[in-house]
Short mmCIF file of all heavy atoms in Angstrom, two decimals:
data_model
loop_
_atom_site.label_atom_id
_atom_site.label_comp_id
_atom_site.label_asym_id
_atom_site.label_seq_id
_atom_site.Cartn_x
_atom_site.Cartn_y
_atom_site.Cartn_z
N ARG A 33 42.99 -2.21 63.25
CA ARG A 33 44.12 -2.13 62.33
C ARG A 33 43.68 -1.90 60.96
O ARG A 33 44.42 -1.49 60.04
CB ARG A 33 44.82 -3.50 62.37
CG ARG A 33 45.61 -3.76 63.64
CD ARG A 33 46.31 -5.05 63.65
NE ARG A 33 47.16 -5.31 64.78
CZ ARG A 33 47.90 -6.33 64.98
NH1 ARG A 33 47.87 -7.32 64.06
NH2 ARG A 33 48.65 -6.51 66.06
N GLU A 87 36.28 -2.03 71.35
CA GLU A 87 37.10 -2.44 70.18
C GLU A 87 36.51 -3.58 69.39
O GLU A 87 36.52 -3.61 68.19
CB GLU A 87 38.58 -2.85 70.72
CG GLU A 87 39.57 -3.15 69.60
CD GLU A 87 40.93 -3.47 70.18
OE1 GLU A 87 41.14 -3.53 71.35
OE2 GLU A 87 41.79 -3.85 69.32
N SER A 103 43.34 -11.89 61.56
CA SER A 103 44.61 -11.10 61.42
C SER A 103 44.38 -9.63 61.68
O SER A 103 45.36 -9.01 62.13
CB SER A 103 45.16 -11.32 59.98
OG SER A 103 44.21 -10.83 59.06
N CYS A 105 42.57 -8.29 64.03
CA CYS A 105 42.49 -8.04 65.44
C CYS A 105 43.82 -7.66 66.04
O CYS A 105 44.85 -8.27 65.71
CB CYS A 105 41.90 -9.28 66.26
SG CYS A 105 40.18 -9.63 65.75
N SER A 106 43.87 -6.72 66.98
CA SER A 106 45.13 -6.43 67.63
C SER A 106 45.58 -7.56 68.44
O SER A 106 44.73 -8.36 68.95
CB SER A 106 45.02 -5.10 68.48
OG SER A 106 44.09 -5.37 69.57
N ASP A 107 46.92 -7.65 68.81
CA ASP A 107 47.46 -8.75 69.66
C ASP A 107 46.77 -8.66 71.04
O ASP A 107 46.50 -9.73 71.68
CB ASP A 107 48.91 -8.66 69.77
CG ASP A 107 49.63 -8.93 68.47
OD1 ASP A 107 49.03 -9.66 67.64
OD2 ASP A 107 50.81 -8.53 68.22
N SER A 108 46.56 -7.50 71.53
CA SER A 108 45.97 -7.30 72.86
C SER A 108 44.57 -7.79 72.90
O SER A 108 44.04 -8.38 73.90
CB SER A 108 46.03 -5.83 73.31
OG SER A 108 45.48 -4.98 72.40
N LEU A 109 43.78 -7.60 71.75
CA LEU A 109 42.42 -8.14 71.73
C LEU A 109 42.37 -9.63 71.66
O LEU A 109 41.50 -10.24 72.28
CB LEU A 109 41.68 -7.41 70.58
CG LEU A 109 40.15 -7.80 70.46
CD1 LEU A 109 39.45 -7.20 71.65
CD2 LEU A 109 39.61 -7.32 69.09
N LYS A 110 43.29 -10.19 70.91
CA LYS A 110 43.39 -11.67 70.76
C LYS A 110 43.72 -12.21 72.14
O LYS A 110 43.06 -13.25 72.53
CB LYS A 110 44.53 -12.00 69.75
CG LYS A 110 44.16 -11.74 68.36
CD LYS A 110 45.32 -12.06 67.46
CE LYS A 110 45.08 -11.68 66.05
NZ LYS A 110 46.23 -11.99 65.15
N LYS A 111 44.60 -11.61 72.92
CA LYS A 111 44.90 -12.10 74.20
C LYS A 111 43.78 -11.98 75.22
O LYS A 111 43.44 -12.94 75.93
CB LYS A 111 46.18 -11.27 74.74
CG LYS A 111 46.62 -11.81 76.05
CD LYS A 111 47.84 -11.04 76.57
CE LYS A 111 48.33 -11.57 77.92
NZ LYS A 111 49.63 -10.81 78.34
N TRP A 112 43.06 -10.90 75.10
CA TRP A 112 41.85 -10.65 75.90
C TRP A 112 40.81 -11.74 75.61
O TRP A 112 40.18 -12.32 76.59
CB TRP A 112 41.27 -9.32 75.72
CG TRP A 112 39.97 -8.98 76.37
CD1 TRP A 112 39.83 -8.71 77.68
CD2 TRP A 112 38.67 -9.03 75.77
NE1 TRP A 112 38.41 -8.49 77.85
CE2 TRP A 112 37.72 -8.73 76.75
CE3 TRP A 112 38.25 -9.39 74.45
CZ2 TRP A 112 36.30 -8.71 76.50
CZ3 TRP A 112 36.85 -9.29 74.20
CH2 TRP A 112 35.97 -8.99 75.19
N ARG A 157 42.84 -21.19 71.65
CA ARG A 157 43.18 -20.19 70.54
C ARG A 157 43.15 -20.96 69.19
O ARG A 157 43.63 -22.01 69.08
CB ARG A 157 44.63 -19.72 70.83
CG ARG A 157 45.01 -18.68 69.88
CD ARG A 157 46.45 -18.41 70.00
NE ARG A 157 46.84 -18.09 71.31
CZ ARG A 157 46.89 -16.77 71.82
NH1 ARG A 157 46.61 -15.84 71.04
NH2 ARG A 157 47.37 -16.61 73.06
#
Side-chain angles (χ1 to χ4, degrees):
R33 290 181 175 180
E87 185 176 0
S103 60
C105 293
S106 65
D107 292 338
S108 53
L109 184 66
K110 292 177 182 178
K111 184 177 180 180
W112 173 80
R157 187 193 302 268

